[in-house]
Amino acid sequence: MSAEPGQVISGLEGVLACESSITYLDGASDPSVLEYRGYNIHDIAETASFEEIAYLLLEGQRPNAGELEAFDHELRRLRHVPVELTRLLEMIPTYAHPMATLRTAASFLACLDPEQEATGRAANEKKARRMVAQFPTAVAAMARVSQGLDVLRPDPELGHAANYLYMLNGKRPDDASTRALDTALNLYAEHELNASTFAVRVVVGTLSDIASAVVAGIAALKGPLHGGAIDEAMRMIMDVGSVDNIRPWVDRALAEKRLLMGFGHRVYKTGDARAPHLRNMCRALAESSGEPRWYDIATGVEDYVREQKRIPANVDYYAAPVLHYLGFPLNLFTNFVASSRVVGWSAHALEQYDNNRLIRPRTRYVGLREQEYAPAERS
Ligand code: SDX
């Protein structure tokens, strides 16, 4: 779609705002296609580790064994957050929105970096790797502080996903849980020019620093039409409560024209390429936990909504019960998404720095003009 002169494209729908070699996305074909750096998501989501996917997205190519080992070691080394972060988290009132807390924590961590204003590809890659390593530590710390539990130090013997679950739950996870988290992290790591990634590119376009851009990404992700839908999806599944209640619940919601969280997508019209993999992980966790209820309700609602309204489930829909099975508190689901998406935000930031042009669109002015100004009268 290209705009006629003077035409406004509401929500920039279908507008091509930049060139990119990070993600190929075709949401109109059936089935839809999603590729990271040319690799189909169906070939990598359930088998690759998050470290491999993060390297692929940030560096632009698959790591060889030596590169992966070096990258993994660096992430393990960078995981630690200074004790001041725990103090900051304890100072933030409990009524603060968890994404507001993460936004503040990300900004604070960036301020502690003595090289925060260093520029150039190498400096930005280093800052990106630090954020990728530290965000899970910050999110796990938020979860522990909010539950009145001690914050746990990262375990250097564990890979990224296993350590994330360890810092969250205080015990080393089983293989099914680690695989499920790796898969969720892989699927959330990047998604082309979604609203938060666009916000990141706008900030980078001014040549501001990469951490400021990522903070803008967190701010955009917070909204309920974007990352903020995921906990609402879980609330919906919980509210349905039982398989028997699926039809009456969905019928009522549709009659009341309620927005079903975890359904629909601006780009995917035939189904979100990521959803089937999260459905697989949800089934695996339902089996390994011996608690099939959330999986049974989720699949039943998905099938019935598709039948009634033809709206497919998006990435958030099965990610919600997956995160619930894994022990993430409901109010930190969007924070989890940010702790993965920081990879995509960083990859787009690096790409924008490499080929930058200030992003500055125009408005079509519809207000009053040429008004005569008279000073306000004093009473
Ligand atoms: C993410 O862009 C990305 O890539 C984002 C993301 C990523 O990885 O970064 O994929 C992550 O943000 C996933 C989306 C999470 N949000 C939700 O689950 C919230 C619920 N979904 C919607 O509000 C909606 O589907 C959007 C916002 C996601 C997309 O909306 P669009 O493209 O603006 O479409 P629309 O709102 O104009 O809807 C078109 C029609 C409408 O019906 P009609 O008025 O034409 O009759 O579809 C209906 C809508 O009412 N519809 C829904 C619906 N989604 C669309 N009806 C009920 N429930 C829904 N969820």
Side-chain angles (χ1 to χ4, degrees), residues 11 13 25 187-197 221 223-230 232-233 253-254 257-269 272 274 305 309-317 337 341 345:
E13 185 162 357
L25 175 51
L187 292 167
Y188 272 111
E190 154 61 8
H191 207 237
E192 207 225 25
L193 208 53
N194 57 85
S196 54
T197 301
L221 187 71
L225 294 185
H226 191 13
I230 183 169
E232 290 298 331
L254 293 180
K257 300 208 177 308
R258 291 201 330 244
L259 210 50
L260 300 172
M261 292 302 184
F263 286 91
H265 199 275
R266 172 62 65 84
V267 180
Y268 289 116
K269 296 306 167 199
D272 190 321
R274 301 163 292 180
V305 169
K309 186 102 185 182
R310 294 189 167 278
I311 309 174
N314 63 46
V315 64
D316 286 348
Y317 185 67
V337 176
R341 185 57 58 87
W345 291 334

Side-chain angles (χ1 to χ4, degrees), residues 92-118:
I92 294 176
T94 49
Y95 56 75
H97 190 290
M99 281 293 280
T101 305
L102 182 66
R103 194 187 62 218
T104 307
S107 201
F108 180 70
L109 287 169
C111 288
L112 297 179
D113 178 2
E115 294 168 13
Q116 59 192 273
E117 289 303 321

Side-chain angles (χ1 to χ4, degrees), residues 110 113-128 130 207-212 350 353:
D113 178 2
E115 294 168 13
Q116 59 192 273
E117 289 303 321
T119 55
R121 178 93 192 185
N124 285 326
E125 282 185 359
K126 192 170 164 192
K127 287 187 251 185
R130 178 174 287 126
L207 293 185
S208 184
D209 66 289
I210 192 168
S212 295
L350 294 169
Y353 283 123

Side-chain angles (χ1 to χ4, degrees), residues 126-158:
K126 192 170 164 192
K127 287 187 251 185
R129 288 194 293 266
R130 178 174 287 126
M131 290 187 285
V132 170
Q134 285 186 334
F135 278 20
T137 313
V139 172
M142 286 178 62
R144 306 278 300 179
V145 168
S146 70
Q147 295 168 91
L149 299 168
D150 286 343
V151 171
L152 297 174
R153 292 174 65 76
D155 183 339
E157 286 180 12
L158 298 177

Side-chain angles (χ1 to χ4, degrees), residues 42-337:
H42 300 318
D43 296 332
I44 53 180
E46 295 187 34
T47 49
S49 67
F50 175 70
E51 291 87 328
E52 283 176 85
I53 297 301
Y55 186 100
L56 172 71
L57 289 166
L58 292 169
E59 301 294 328
Q61 59 195 17
R62 285 176 56 199
N64 63 32
E67 287 162 341
L68 182 60
E69 198 185 336
F71 184 69
D72 178 23
H73 277 149
E74 194 179 358
L75 289 188
R76 287 178 201 231
R77 188 176 59 77
L78 292 171
R79 273 177 199 162
H80 295 273
V81 294
V83 66
E84 286 85 352
L85 183 79
T86 309
R87 283 196 222 129
L88 175 83
L89 295 179
E90 286 164 353
M91 275 163 55
I92 294 176
T94 49
Y95 56 75
H97 190 290
M99 281 293 280
T101 305
L102 182 66
R103 194 187 62 218
T104 307
S107 201
F108 180 70
L109 287 169
C111 288
L112 297 179
D113 178 2
E115 294 168 13
Q116 59 192 273
E117 289 303 321
T119 55
R121 178 93 192 185
N124 285 326
E125 282 185 359
K126 192 170 164 192
K127 287 187 251 185
R129 288 194 293 266
R130 178 174 287 126
M131 290 187 285
V132 170
Q134 285 186 334
F135 278 20
T137 313
V139 172
M142 286 178 62
R144 306 278 300 179
V145 168
S146 70
Q147 295 168 91
L149 299 168
D150 286 343
V151 171
L152 297 174
R153 292 174 65 76
D155 183 339
E157 286 180 12
L158 298 177
H160 189 89
N163 174 61
Y164 201 164
L165 290 171
Y166 164 72
M167 292 188 300
L168 184 74
N169 295 322
K171 59 178 187 347
R172 289 186 167 195
D174 60 23
D175 289 347
S177 301
T178 305
R179 184 60 259 167
L181 191 67
D182 263 318
T183 299
L185 285 164
N186 291 347
L187 292 167
Y188 272 111
E190 154 61 8
H191 207 237
E192 207 225 25
L193 208 53
N194 57 85
S196 54
T197 301
F198 188 54
V200 165
R201 290 191 85 126
V202 169
V203 174
V204 170
T206 71
L207 293 185
S208 184
D209 66 289
I210 192 168
S212 295
V214 165
V215 170
I218 296 172
L221 187 71
K222 178 172 177 281
L225 294 185
H226 191 13
I230 183 169
D231 49 330
E232 290 298 331
M234 191 64 216
R235 283 193 188 91
M236 182 181 84
I237 293 166
M238 287 172 159
D239 197 34
V240 173
S242 72
V243 170
D244 291 343
N245 194 30
I246 290 172
R247 283 175 179 246
W249 194 98
V250 173
D251 288 343
R252 197 166 50 246
L254 293 180
E256 290 169 2
K257 300 208 177 308
R258 291 201 330 244
L259 210 50
L260 300 172
M261 292 302 184
F263 286 91
H265 199 275
R266 172 62 65 84
V267 180
Y268 289 116
K269 296 306 167 199
T270 57
D272 190 321
R274 301 163 292 180
H277 298 290
L278 288 160
R279 182 175 163 136
N280 289 344
M281 293 303 117
C282 189
R283 187 181 58 239
L285 292 172
E287 283 165 10
S288 64
S289 67
E291 199 191 348
R293 180 172 169 211
W294 306 121
Y295 175 74
D296 291 345
I297 296 172
T299 49
V301 170
E302 183 198 17
D303 292 346
Y304 192 54
V305 169
R306 193 184 277 271
E307 185 189 310
Q308 292 298 302
K309 186 102 185 182
R310 294 189 167 278
I311 309 174
N314 63 46
V315 64
D316 286 348
Y317 185 67
Y318 282 104
V322 163
L323 295 179
H324 182 66
Y325 280 123
L326 292 176
F328 281 85
L330 196 60
N331 63 349
L332 290 180
F333 285 10
T334 314
N335 297 45
F336 162 79
V337 176

